[in-house]
Amino acid sequence: MSALEVLLQSFCSASLLGTLLVLVLVYFISTRSGPQDERREPPGPRALPLLGNLLQLDLSRPDCSLLEFSRHFGSVFTVHFGPKKVVVLAGYQTVKEALVEHAEEFGERDSVQILHEINQGHGVLWTNGDSWREMRRFSLMNLKDFGMGRKVCEDKIIEESHHLMRVFQSHGGLTCGSADVVPLLLTHLLLPGRAFDSTLPMNYSTANIICSMVYGDRFDYEDPHFQAMVSRLNENVLLLGSPSVQVYNLFPWLGKWFANRRRFRQLYDVNIQENLQTFRQLEETLNPHLCRGFVDAFLVRKQSLEDSNVTDSHFHNTNLLMTVLHLFAAGTETTATTLRWGLLLMSKYPAIQQRVHQELSAVVGRRQIQVEDRKNLPYTDAVIHEIQRFANIIPLSLPHRTSRDVTFQGHFIRKGTTVYPLLTSVLYDPSQWETPDSFNPRHFLDNQGRFVKRDAFLPFSAGRRVCLGESLARMELFIFFTSLLQSFRFSPPPGVSEEELDLSPRVGFTRNPRAHQLCAVPRE
């Protein structure tokens, strides 16, 4: 959907007069735009006043539009999102040079309007300066203390994978430990796997990992409070990437006409109130000598600073609230979405799935898979990496901002300029990948079938703003994916062929697969 269509729809819902005013405005500014002074700055498509290049962008897949611009204007170019000037970095070499070799200059985070209204410079994801450094340092330290990247975290993920597999088994016709096993087995013989949507159970499993580390406990999948919490997150991810919210971020004075903006705020406000209630409950039972999770550790640090009469601390309730919301969102949605892409791709390419099954059977058999098995599963490891590359979950990365004036690859970029490292152009860079547009696990294998690392594999971004939960996500992806493939064969629903499975993404803040159903057939 184009930006102009969104604008017109918004004003049409308000009044016919509003629509006419927009049309007159667009005509007026388009007929009076003159050449702009772009000396020393990155080149780019000619922009209209106010609208910028919005009429040339597909807001449902802006990364595709930007990728096309890069073919015309090079690896560093300027584009205008409405009145907002943005510099886009395209290609592996350019993105790496900016984020790693010029980490300080390109290391600040640029927020978006609808999130800034909520965060107000707090939390760990959309902030800068001393507060960001303190929250990131504390988050990394305590997430590691509560298991991230360690054996205790591996055990949590293994336990959660068992809960997830029970859900999948119920759709496959089997229920572990149930009194109804016999009739369900008979059903399984007649119907070897009922098609189902894996979105919610997959989100429940990844959400529970971050909940156990943040709150100190997991939730039952049938818990209505937990279900509502995950559903709100899923809906907000879609709303955040919707064309109308993207236009609102650029033209906030249009806010009252956007129902999606109001809905986003309503859902976020509920999350805020529920977390505040949870914090009060945890604080009432807090034991400073036995922290259950991240929230406990934060509350203990906050109390210690208050007892020491420290008045300018970053450890206050708003930072706790926003950091927890950021950790929950980042720790749930991206990993679950990657796993859903993985099962969809296995169903789409049964020959690849079969090779994963064969390797798992030969190396692991029926015993519990552990992280240390990764080194002996090169093909499976290659498949997981290729799922991440091909899925391209966050195609634009999160927006960066220059911390000072910088001359980069011969282009002058001013302090405070919004910068998008275009991860699509990295993960699909034809100079780095033999078949960038195809799902091809051989990208991560040498001629002897051994796993090889690839420098252009940057799904977690790079530099100062690299994903702080990368080690956790890698462990989750490996254990959840291999556990599911060890136990099930995934296939399209009855009446749907592999060729008919749709790999085109749906609109959202992250690149999600379109709504689909799959069959999970238990392996013998």
Side-chain angles (χ1 to χ4, degrees), residues 40-322:
R40 301 173 59 201
E41 297 187 356
R46 180 167 175 161
L48 296 173
L50 185 64
L51 292 181
N53 300 113
L54 286 182
L55 303 185
Q56 300 163 269
L57 294 172
D58 178 1
L59 291 185
S60 64
R61 284 298 307 276
D63 62 306
C64 293
S65 300
L66 297 178
L67 194 60
E68 187 62 31
F69 282 148
S70 73
R71 298 188 178 106
H72 294 282
F73 300 103
S75 59
V76 183
F77 63 93
T78 300
V79 65
H80 290 76
F81 286 80
K84 188 181 185 69
K85 178 188 286 188
V86 172
V87 169
V88 179
L89 309 175
Y92 163 65
Q93 295 295 342
T94 296
V95 170
K96 178 188 176 185
E97 182 181 351
L99 300 188
V100 178
E101 298 174 26
H102 295 271
E104 286 295 326
E105 293 93 331
F106 291 94
E108 288 197 349
R109 172 73 69 224
D110 191 55
S111 190
V112 294
Q113 177 67 28
I114 196 168
L115 292 174
H116 179 71
E117 294 169 357
I118 297 169
N119 298 322
Q120 293 293 316
H122 301 295
V124 72
L125 198 58
W126 298 96
T127 53
N128 294 295
D130 291 341
S131 181
W132 167 72
R133 281 187 285 272
E134 190 70 26
M135 289 303 100
R136 183 178 175 90
R137 186 185 304 114
F138 183 82
S139 298
L140 277 170
M141 179 182 68
N142 279 277
L143 290 178
K144 288 179 181 178
D145 286 346
F146 294 112
M148 187 173 73
R150 299 180 179 178
K151 185 65 171 66
V152 62
C153 184
E154 179 180 355
D155 292 340
K156 290 179 181 179
I157 299 170
I158 289 173
E159 177 190 354
E160 198 62 44
S161 72
H162 295 163
H163 293 287
L164 179 63
M165 284 190 289
R166 290 190 185 98
V167 176
F168 279 52
Q169 287 164 340
S170 69
H171 292 285
L174 297 172
T175 302
C176 290
S178 169
D180 299 324
V181 165
V182 173
L184 284 172
L185 275 169
L186 295 176
T187 302
H188 173 66
L189 294 174
L190 297 174
L191 184 64
R194 299 185 298 277
F196 68 104
D197 187 334
S198 65
T199 301
L200 287 177
M202 205 71 85
N203 274 269
Y204 293 158
S205 62
T206 56
N208 259 336
I209 299 302
I210 198 66
C211 284
S212 66
M213 300 175 75
V214 170
Y215 302 120
D217 202 1
R218 66 177 299 277
F219 293 87
D220 188 273
Y221 290 0
E222 299 300 320
D223 185 329
H225 165 78
F226 181 58
Q227 291 179 340
M229 184 167 60
V230 172
S231 294
R232 287 194 298 272
L233 171 62
N234 289 345
E235 185 176 352
N236 261 352
V237 168
L238 294 178
L239 291 172
L240 192 57
S242 66
S244 63
V245 169
Q246 291 183 64
V247 170
Y248 167 72
N249 288 330
L250 302 173
F251 305 101
W253 48 273
L254 295 174
K256 65 180 180 180
W257 281 291
F258 290 124
N260 280 353
R261 181 255 182 186
R262 294 193 298 273
R263 177 62 176 165
F264 182 90
R265 289 300 304 266
Q266 290 169 357
L267 295 171
Y268 221 111
D269 287 343
V270 175
N271 285 339
I272 288 174
Q273 294 306 315
E274 291 200 352
N275 269 279
L276 290 175
Q277 181 179 350
T278 300
F279 296 166
R280 286 192 290 269
Q281 294 170 349
L282 290 173
E283 193 165 18
E284 290 172 357
T285 56
L286 181 64
N287 180 351
H289 305 292
L290 186 63
C291 290
R292 295 158 292 190
F294 176 87
V295 175
D296 279 10
F298 193 103
L299 292 172
V300 169
R301 173 68 70 85
K302 173 175 171 286
Q303 184 61 53
S304 174
L305 292 169
E306 290 174 352
D307 292 344
S308 302
N309 295 319
V310 176
T311 58
D312 58 349
S313 168
H314 297 294
F315 288 86
H316 49 73
N317 290 336
T318 306
N319 249 342
L320 171 60
L321 174 64
M322 292 304 158

Side-chain angles (χ1 to χ4, degrees), residues 361-406:
S361 296
V363 175
V364 181
R366 303 304 300 173
R367 69 168 172 80
Q368 175 62 56
I369 292 174
Q370 298 180 339
V371 170
E372 66 180 15
D373 292 317
R374 186 195 295 267
K375 63 181 180 294
N376 298 318
L377 298 168
Y379 187 79
T380 302
D381 201 11
V383 167
I384 294 172
H385 279 72
E386 180 65 359
I387 290 168
Q388 289 182 267
R389 184 200 72 83
F390 188 81
N392 184 25
I393 296 300
I394 307 184
L396 294 179
S397 185
L398 300 184
H400 288 236
R401 188 176 67 197
T402 48
S403 60
R404 54 178 176 261
D405 290 352
V406 58

Side-chain angles (χ1 to χ4, degrees), residues 334-335 337-339 341-342 345-346 374 380-395 423-424 426-428 433 439 444 451 456-461 467 469-478 481 511:
T334 53
T335 303
T337 298
T338 304
L339 288 167
W341 274 114
L345 288 163
M346 292 302 94
R374 186 195 295 267
T380 302
D381 201 11
V383 167
I384 294 172
H385 279 72
E386 180 65 359
I387 290 168
Q388 289 182 267
R389 184 200 72 83
F390 188 81
N392 184 25
I393 296 300
I394 307 184
L423 291 189
T424 293
V426 177
L427 299 176
Y428 284 71
W433 309 97
F439 180 71
F444 294 92
F451 179 82
F457 180 71
L458 298 180
F460 299 103
S461 192
C467 174
E470 177 178 351
S471 62
L472 174 62
R474 285 171 52 81
M475 185 180 286
E476 286 185 84
L477 288 173
F478 180 76
F481 181 80
R511 191 172 179 268

